[in-house]
Every structure is written in structure tokens, then in C-alpha cells.
Amino acid sequence: MKEGFRQCTAWLHTWTGLVVGWVLFFIFVTGTAGYFQAEITRWMQPELPMSARAGVPTDPVLAVHHALDRLEQVAPGAARWSITLPHQSLVQRRWENLGVAWEDMPVSGNGAGQRGSETLDAATGAVLPAGPQPRDTAGGRVLYRMHYELRYMPYAWAIRIVGVCTMLMLLAITTGVITHKKIFTDFFTFRPGKGQRSWLDAHNAISVMALPFFLMITYSGLVFALFVYMPVGRDVLYGPDPLSKARFANELFERDGLAHAPVARPAIPLAPLMAQAEAAWGVGQLRSIAIERHEGGSPEITLTRVQRGSLDVWNPPALRFDAGTGALLPSAPPPGGSALQAQGALFNLHEGLFADIWGRWLYFVAGLLGCAMIGTGLVLWTVKRRRHHLGGGQERNEHMGVRLVEVLNVATIAGLPLAVAAYFWANRLLPLGMAERAAWEIHTLFALWLATLFYALARPLHRAWIELLWAACAAYALVPAVNALTTDKHLGRTLPAGDWVLAGFDLTMWGLAGLFALLALKVARRLRPVVAQASAPKTAVP
Amino acid sequence: MTSVHLGVLLLGLLGFTALALATERHAHHLLRRTPAPGWRRLARAAGWGLLLLSLVLSVAALDVGIGVTLWLGWLSIAALTLVFALPAWPWRPPARVGPLRKPMTPGSVSLPPRRRVEGRRVFALWLVVVLLVYGLALQAVPVKPLLRSDAIEGRVGPWTFRLAESERRGPDLVAMDIPMKAYHVRFDETGDMAIREAYLRVNKPRSLRAPGIVLNGTRWERHVNIQLPANATADSALWLTVVGKDGSVHQAAVRMGDVSPATVAWLERRS
């Protein structure tokens, strides 16, 4: 090969990006939605009441007292008690009321006992009703899970397909940096209205600016399924069968295998311990209290801090006390040591669970930029190879491969967002009483996505682009309207009530509609003059 | 916290603007004159300084891990805003006059092959097929088991319940031809809060130590998949054992033939 290194990487960049581009676009769209999965689920369950945040901070000592009363009554002799104090949960993304949860002693022969939980009134200790039953919905969670489980295929296949695509994306990012030789001199360059040059500028700018995010998200995505992609190390040491894998997990998470013994109300008052925790972390930073006891040992009380301010979301600071004497016990080392901690930090970087509302929007925008990077890259491939302009109606002379890529581009870049909007529509319009309603919401998404593929094949390409983009715009713009017609949680009520999760969803839909309107206008403007020129001789009637 | 985030963004934006002024091309674009090299060096130093300052602000307010992560995020937003805002700056550099690529004239285009138009029709047909299949399949979806008319209403202790089989057909055979049947149960609202757990089995439990299989779920619709014993007939009963949170135990029986007629028919055929 006589070509230089950079030409080789350019070739590699183009083809690795193209081959898996559509799958990556799907992964990015559904994964980006995942950053708001709790909010999406919340919106998809309109039966639940609007957020009634307990504004008055109640006395935590009294609340814990009520909680212990209730646990003594409902779960005497359980293996574990836990009390959640009222707080704004970072991971659950909602206000958590005072709650109690328990795990019964396992019945002989069973690994785990029955679990139960209740929500209590922090002021009176009364058990709060569970609230209305929400509709059967797949919610934001299933939308998010699609970004690594895909759909309609075994998990083992899906995770491997996603892994290969991610690997190729990492390759495409690396080669892209090498290919883009004027990365610093071109840093701020965007030249609009110049066809291929503008696409290239936009692709470069987006990719370079959000490069830290892309590198992080791709690499940490691979680390997620580490032992699916690179199982040899574990299999050699522990063996490949499920039993050995369980042994590996037990050792990794240091499950000591000690049996639990029944717990009871601690003899010592909890107030001094809570005061100690508040002194260490600040007022209102105490999240939960757990009481458990290992066989042969004395009962222990663990106080845990609200998850905040650290990439290590799943191991928040905790204080452990002896329930008999009230003595502070040495803190347990994090399970799995620093290797597992490093892995946990990578996972949290990927999922963004540590982020507050600003960080969450940053992640969301970065995800959209990822979609834009893949989208512009895919379009660029066809723009480069397009011998005739789309608008000229001459695409039928084009090479079969170019046309295939074009059609897949339309169906993915314009069709998939439309299908996601249909998912939200399905949540509101499918009959509430139908069996497997949640599955049908997803069937709707994929049926519509398939339909957009055939639509793109059946229409002239430039028309398909413009029409599907407008359809996506209309679909998103009308989501709040459908919501208002079918539920009572519409903007007219959520905005005055200040429920920013529900109102924010509807407003975001309008934002996305605006984005698609902009795209549709841009594409239409790009294609129109050529249409006019090409058809001018035929229609030039004064 | 909001002011920290906005501060990081603003400092990033200012820093990148200074860095843009440090380049010949963008400085000319922004100022309509090319500044002196010394001046540009100063702008570069100021740019990097501002970016560093935003990092310091972010880390100081959010700690190292989150601070660096979100700083990079805000820098991305700042830089992209600048990139896409710069072309809108009034003193745009004159566009290079180059030969425009001419669109092909209609005359030079060979006539479209007939095949392509027919291909389009085939795809349009497929589009209709997809939507039709979706619509028909949607029509055929049954209602939820507990909402069907064949769901049984009953009382267990102080609470009412509804019980229905998942599928109105014979049992599913698992390994060794063991017949399994899935059921859904829903208690009324007071019962739902007051019930600790509930169990289901065929035939009366001999003792309360073996009440059957526990129903999945602690709230609203609970479901369970139970094994049908070899001696099950139309006269056998499904026994629902409910343990309240107050420790009370209640039992109720429903005739197998009432809940699962198809299964009873299957059992009789087999015997």
C-alpha cells in the first residue's frame, strides 16, 4: 500500500463509521433518552399524583421513632430493617418520603426471605396508602435498556452486537482524530451553506468539541460488559460454568456467607448516633438507617449519607455502630477493593447518576451531540458520493449502494426519532385494559420504525427526508396535546403546580419539535433551488 | 449551584473567544483587522488562563471527580456555541468565489427505468402491509386477565379479591411433562395495604407451613405460576392463603373448574 498513514486511517474511519453507524445512532438515541429515564417513566404513569413534596422538614428523630414502631409491629424478628428518611433522591430523581423496608428471616431452604416496604407519614407515623395503580407501561427504563439489549433477540447476542459496534466506534473516534489533521487550526471553523464542506465542518466541530464525552461514553460502555467481551481471565481462574461465576461474584463482592440473625429494636436511643452523623455530614444529609445482625455477632446500625458529590454514587459515606453499646465500629472497606471502585466510577461516568439537574442536561445535550456526530457522518458519506443532487430527481441513476445508504439514513435519522415519538403516543392512546400493554408500546415503536423504512423506499429520497422530518416535528409537537386530551396532567395544570418533571417533559417535546422543524427547513431549503432549476423548463408557464 | 454552572460556562465561553482572537483568521473575522502577533500571544495566554480559571471554579465547587467531568461538558457546550455563532458575526469573511457545481441538466438524464417505479409501488405495498399487520395484531390483543368476564370474585377473610388464569387454555408443560398454570390475583385497596403475603396451591394445604407458592408482587396485581398435581380434577379447588400484616391467616377456595375450564378438560383427557 503506497498511501500514507493518514489516508489509511481516513479509509478506516469512513468504513468503520458507516458499517455500524445506524446501530450506533439507535444506541445513542435510546441511551440519550435514558438520562431522563426516571422522568420519562414518571410522565408515562399519569395516574400517579403530581409531586407533593413535603415542604416542612420534620423532626428526623421523631420520624425514626415512628418508623421503628411500625417495624416492630409489622416485621418482628426480621433479618433486616431499614429506614429511609425524607430526602431528595439523586438516583431515583424524586422526593422520597419516610419509608420502612424489611427482609424476613429466610424460610429454611430458601436463600432470601420475603421483603416488604411501606411509606409512612413522617409527622404521625401513619402508613400512607400506596396511591393509584399506574398504567402498565414500559416507561423510560425499557427505552433505556434497548440501548444495550436491543430488542427481539437474546441478550447474549445483543450485548455482543453492541460490543462490536462500540469497539468500532472507538476505532472510528481514534482514526477520526488522526484523519482530521488540522484539528487546532480548524478549531472554530464552520462554513455554512457550502454543501459537503459544511457537513464536514459540522461533523468535525461536533466531534472535536464533545470528544471527551464520546471517548468516555464509548470506553465506559465497553467496560460495562467486561466479562462478556473478555471472559478468559475469569474463566481460567474460576471456570466457565454458572456455579463458578457465582463463586467469582461472591468473592468479588465479599459476601461473607454469614447467616443473618433476627433483629429487634436497638436498646440504645438512635438520636445521639443521628446527631453524630449530622455533625459529620451536615443537617439533612442522613439518608437511611439499617439494622442487621450476623449470626453470633451483636446487632449493627448503619447510617448512610445522601448520595451526592461523588462519582462513587453506590458507596456513599456510612457510619457503623454497635447496637448494644453505641460504639462506633471501624468502617467496612469498599467491597471489591479499588479495582471495583474504579469500575464503579467508570459506570457512573457512563450513566451520569451522580449529576444534578444541570449535569443531567449536559449529559442529555452531549448525547444529542453524539446523535448529531453519527448523523452528520452518515450523511457525509452519501454527500461525498452523490453524483447528482438529490433534488434533481436523478437519484435513480445512482449507484445501488449509495441509494441503500441514503434510504437507511432517512429511515434512521428521521425515522427513529419519529418512532420514539410514537412510543409516547402509544403510552397515551393504547387501551388501558389490554394485556401486555407495555410490550405493545415497544411494538409500536418498532412497527413505526419499519414503516418509515418502507416509506423511505417508496418515496423519492428528498421528499422522504423532508416529509419524515416534518412528521417527526409534528409527532413531537402534538405529544403535549395528546397528553392534554387523554389525561389531566397537562401543561395547564402541571405548570401552575410547579411539577417540573411533568411540565419539563412536555416542554422538551416542543423543544425537540422545534429542532426537527429547523432540520426540515434546512433540508428543504438545501434541496429546493435545485428542484426549481431542474423542473424549471417543464413548468415555466408565466 | 446554578451560579457555579453558569460561571463555568461563561468563563469557558470567554476563554474560547480569547483563543479565537488569538488566531489570525478568526481575529480578522471578529475585529476586521489582523492584530499584532504580540497582542495575539496575549489573547492566547488570556484564553488558556480563563479556561484554567473555569476548571478551578468547577473543581472548587464540585470536587475533583464531578468537577472535571462537568467542566469538560460545559467546555463542549461553550466551544460549540462559539463555532456555530461565529458565522453569524456581521463581518463575515468574503466567500471564496469558486466554480459552482452545476446540476445535471434534465436533458442529460437518461430516462428512469420503469423497474424503479414498480419497485416503489412494491415498497408502498410493504408499508401498507406493515401498518395493516400492526393494526390487526393490535385488534387481536386480549384484555388483561383480571378484567375479563371469567375472572372470579371472592372473599378471603375481611378482604375481597379477583382471580383469573393468565391464559384461557390448557396448562403449559415444562420439563418431565409437569403441567404449570399461571394465575393473577388482585385484592381490594384495604386488603392490598394490609396483606403481608399470599400463597396459592391446588387442594387444601395440609398445614400452614406449606401454603403453596407465594404470589409475586407486593402491590396491586400479583401473579404466580403453580404446578398442577396429578389428582387435580374439576372438583379440586385452588386454595388462596393470605397472611395479613397483623399476623392473621385467612383462606379461601375456588373451584378449579370455575377458573380454568380448559385446563380441567385437558386433565380429564389425560387421565
Side-chain angles (χ1 to χ4, degrees), chain A residues 74 104 114 117-118 128 130-131 133 189-190 209 310 356 358 369 388 395-396 433 435 440 444 451 458 533-534, chain B residues 2 5 25 66 76 79-80 87 103-104 106 112 116 120 127 134 141-144 186 193 196-197 219-220 245:
Chain A
V74 77
D104 286 342
Q114 285 285 321
S117 64
E118 280 175 352
L128 294 176
Q133 182 180 20
T189 306
F190 173 63
M209 300 309 174
S310 161
D356 59 358
W358 284 100
L369 289 176
H388 316 291
E395 80 233 20
R396 42 182 96 83
W440 270 92
T444 307
Q533 268 180 24
Chain B
T2 303
H5 288 289
R25 185 199 308 171
I66 296 177
S76 298
L80 273 171
M104 298 269 282
R116 188 74 78 181
R120 287 224 168 111
L127 172 65
Y134 171 79
V141 176
V143 295
K144 280 183 185 163
R186 188 187 162 126
M193 289 301 292
R196 193 177 169 84
E197 51 219 32
R219 208 140 282 158
W220 305 121
K245 280 178 179 163

Side-chain angles (χ1 to χ4, degrees), chain A residues 261-284:
Chain A
V263 295
R265 194 178 185 123
I268 54 161
L270 292 183
L273 311 187
M274 292 165 66
Q276 204 171 331
E278 287 209 328
W281 303 324
V283 176

Side-chain angles (χ1 to χ4, degrees), chain B residues 79-96:
Chain B
L80 273 171
T81 311
L82 197 63
V83 167
F84 289 104
L86 274 183
W89 189 254
W91 307 316
R92 253 180 91 168
R96 189 162 48 96

Side-chain angles (χ1 to χ4, degrees), chain B residues 30-263:
Chain B
L30 287 170
L31 306 171
R32 254 201 313 193
R33 61 184 177 79
T34 312
W39 197 92
R40 290 216 312 271
R41 265 200 298 280
L42 200 68
R44 177 167 301 139
W48 283 109
L50 284 164
L51 294 188
L52 196 68
L53 197 64
S54 68
L55 174 64
V56 170
L57 174 63
S58 186
V59 168
L62 303 166
D63 205 8
V64 180
I66 296 177
V68 173
T69 310
L70 295 190
W71 174 69
L72 285 172
W74 282 120
L75 282 202
S76 298
I77 305 287
L80 273 171
T81 311
L82 197 63
V83 167
F84 289 104
L86 274 183
W89 189 254
W91 307 316
R92 253 180 91 168
R96 189 162 48 96
V97 184
L100 279 173
R101 228 176 279 174
K102 275 187 211 137
M104 298 269 282
T105 50
S108 68
V109 179
S110 55
L111 277 172
R114 190 85 200 135
R115 206 159 44 86
R116 188 74 78 181
V117 177
E118 272 162 19
R120 287 224 168 111
R121 286 199 188 124
V122 172
F123 291 128
L125 194 67
W126 272 108
L127 172 65
V128 174
V129 167
V130 168
L131 296 176
L132 213 62
V133 167
Y134 171 79
L136 289 177
L138 191 63
Q139 286 294 313
V141 176
V143 295
K144 280 183 185 163
L146 286 175
L147 296 178
R148 288 196 310 245
S149 55
D150 65 333
I152 304 286
E153 299 241 16
R155 283 194 77 81
V156 54
W159 308 300
T160 58
F161 69 88
R162 278 177 82 85
L163 183 141
E165 55 179 349
S166 292
E167 306 272 356
R168 278 183 288 189
R169 58 166 193 233
D172 296 321
L173 295 183
V174 295
M176 298 172 70
D177 278 355
I178 294 169
M180 301 289 289
K181 198 76 189 129
Y183 292 94
H184 291 254
V185 179
R186 188 187 162 126
F187 298 98
D188 62 59
E189 295 207 6
T190 50
D192 206 70
M193 289 301 292
I195 286 168
R196 193 177 169 84
E197 51 219 32
Y199 305 85
L200 193 72
R201 63 165 283 162
V202 182
N203 296 335
K204 186 172 167 103
R206 272 188 291 271
S207 85
L208 286 178
R209 292 176 61 81
I213 305 293
V214 69
L215 300 180
N216 289 312
T218 55
R219 208 140 282 158
W220 305 121
E221 213 170 303
R222 304 169 198 231
H223 58 99
V224 69
N225 201 1
I226 58 168
Q227 181 191 342
L228 302 177
N231 59 359
T233 63
D235 292 328
S236 305
L238 280 169
W239 278 79
L240 182 66
T241 306
V242 176
V243 182
K245 280 178 179 163
D246 54 0
S248 61
V249 178
H250 308 280
Q251 285 188 315
V254 178
R255 267 186 79 242
M256 186 84 187
D258 293 345
V259 191
S260 310
T263 302

Side-chain angles (χ1 to χ4, degrees), chain A residues 9 15 62 97 107 122 159-160 181 188 334 382 405 480 516 528:
Chain A
T9 55
W15 289 98
L62 185 69
N97 282 314
V107 184
I159 199 76
R160 284 182 172 87
K181 58 180 173 181
F188 294 110
T382 56
V405 172
F516 281 105
R528 195 187 304 123

Side-chain angles (χ1 to χ4, degrees), chain A residues 39-57:
Chain A
E39 288 80 357
I40 293 175
T41 305
R42 170 83 188 77
W43 184 86
M44 291 173 94
Q45 297 178 334
E47 287 80 9
L48 299 185
M50 277 191 261
S51 72
R53 178 176 171 151
V56 271

